[in-house]
Amino acid sequence: MESRLVPTPRSLADVELQSRDTIGQGWGKIERFVFRHRRHDGEWSEEVTRDVYTIGEAVNVLPYDPKLDAVLLIEQFRACGLAWGEATWLFEVVAGMRGEEETPEEVARREAIEEAECRLTALHPVSTVWSSPGGYGERTYLFVGIASLEGVGGIHGLAHEHEDIRAVVVPLAEAHAATQDGRIRDAKTTLLIQWLMLNKSQLA
C-alpha cells in the first residue's frame, strides 16, 4: 500500500484572513477569525468563522531517572472539569508557559525546579504539537528530562500563581498502567509516558 501520510504543501498564501478580533481577554484571550482557505480540490472554501482561545506557548517535560526506571509526576487541581461538573485533580507532567525571550529548554528546567525541586541534567526533545487544534491556539513543546529522582517529592508551587502541587515519583511501569486504568487522564502526560516506554533504551 502506498503511503499517503505526506503533508499537503500549504502556506499563508493559501489562507485569506478577512478579520481577526479579540472578543474576550482574561488569563488568555479569545480571538474570532473570519477567513477562507484553499481546499484540497484547489478551490477556495466558503467564509469560515472560528473562535480560538490562546494563553501562549506551553512547555511540558517528563522527568525520568534511568537508574530507578521511574518518572516524576505532579498532581494539582485543574478548572477544566468544572465545565462538566467534575472535580479534576489531575496527574500531569511538569509544565509551564514560555516567557518572552525564554527558550523552551529554559522553561522546562525552570518549571522542574518550581514545581518539584527537580534538577534536570539533560533534555530530549520529543515533539512540538497543537494540543487541541479545533479551537485552542496553544503550541506545546514536549520533552523528556533526565534527572536523579532519589528523594524528590513533596508539596511545591508558587503562591502568587495559586499553585498547590504535589510531586510524586513512581516506577515508569506504574505510570504506564495509570494511563490505561484512568488514574492519568491528561493527554500530554499520556503521550510522553507512552513515548518513554517505547524509547527509554535511547536515553540510558
Side-chain angles (χ1 to χ4, degrees):
M1 179 182 298
E2 184 181 355
S3 172
R4 296 293 184 185
L5 201 61
V6 178
T8 302
R10 290 283 188 260
S11 71
L12 284 177
D14 299 299
V15 181
E16 182 184 281
L17 183 59
Q18 297 172 350
S19 63
R20 176 181 183 174
D21 299 298
T22 299
I23 61 173
Q25 182 77 52
W27 185 28
K29 63 180 177 180
I30 303 175
E31 294 178 283
R32 178 159 293 161
F33 294 86
V34 180
F35 59 90
R36 298 193 308 155
H37 65 84
R38 188 78 67 181
R39 302 189 329 173
H40 287 292
D41 63 7
E43 300 299 320
W44 284 94
S45 71
E46 296 179 349
E47 183 180 284
V48 180
T49 301
R50 290 290 183 266
D51 296 342
V52 178
Y53 177 65
T54 306
I55 299 172
E57 290 184 305
V59 177
N60 301 273
V61 58
L62 175 63
Y64 173 61
D65 187 329
K67 181 179 178 181
L68 299 178
D69 195 24
V71 296
L72 169 71
L73 297 172
I74 61 171
E75 183 187 34
Q76 61 185 319
F77 177 74
R78 293 301 208 182
C80 58
L82 298 178
W84 306 99
E86 296 182 22
T88 39
W89 272 265
L90 301 177
F91 285 111
E92 300 176 65
V93 295
V94 169
M97 304 308 296
R98 182 181 181 183
E100 289 187 18
E101 300 185 6
E102 274 189 307
T103 68
E105 291 80 4
E106 288 171 339
V107 179
R109 294 181 186 279
R110 169 175 58 78
E111 290 292 339
I113 292 174
E114 290 179 4
E115 297 189 347
E117 283 295 324
C118 173
R119 283 168 173 75
L120 303 174
T121 59
L123 280 169
H124 297 271
V126 172
S127 188
T128 303
V129 301
W130 301 101
S131 55
S132 185
Y136 197 19
E138 182 178 276
R139 183 164 52 191
T140 303
Y141 299 89
L142 301 176
F143 295 93
V144 167
I146 302 300
S148 173
L149 299 180
E150 194 73 49
V152 175
I155 308 300
H156 304 279
L158 300 179
H160 71 273
E161 292 186 5
H162 309 289
E163 292 180 333
D164 177 46
I165 295 170
R166 181 171 75 100
V168 296
V169 174
V170 298
L172 175 58
E174 181 181 351
H176 183 247
T179 67
Q180 298 174 308
D181 64 23
R183 284 175 290 164
I184 291 177
R185 296 187 289 156
D186 175 64
K188 64 184 181 291
T189 303
T190 297
L191 188 159
L192 280 169
I193 289 170
Q194 292 180 346
W195 184 92
L196 183 56
M197 287 291 292
L198 292 171
N199 295 280
K200 68 177 184 176
S201 63
Q202 302 176 23
L203 308 182

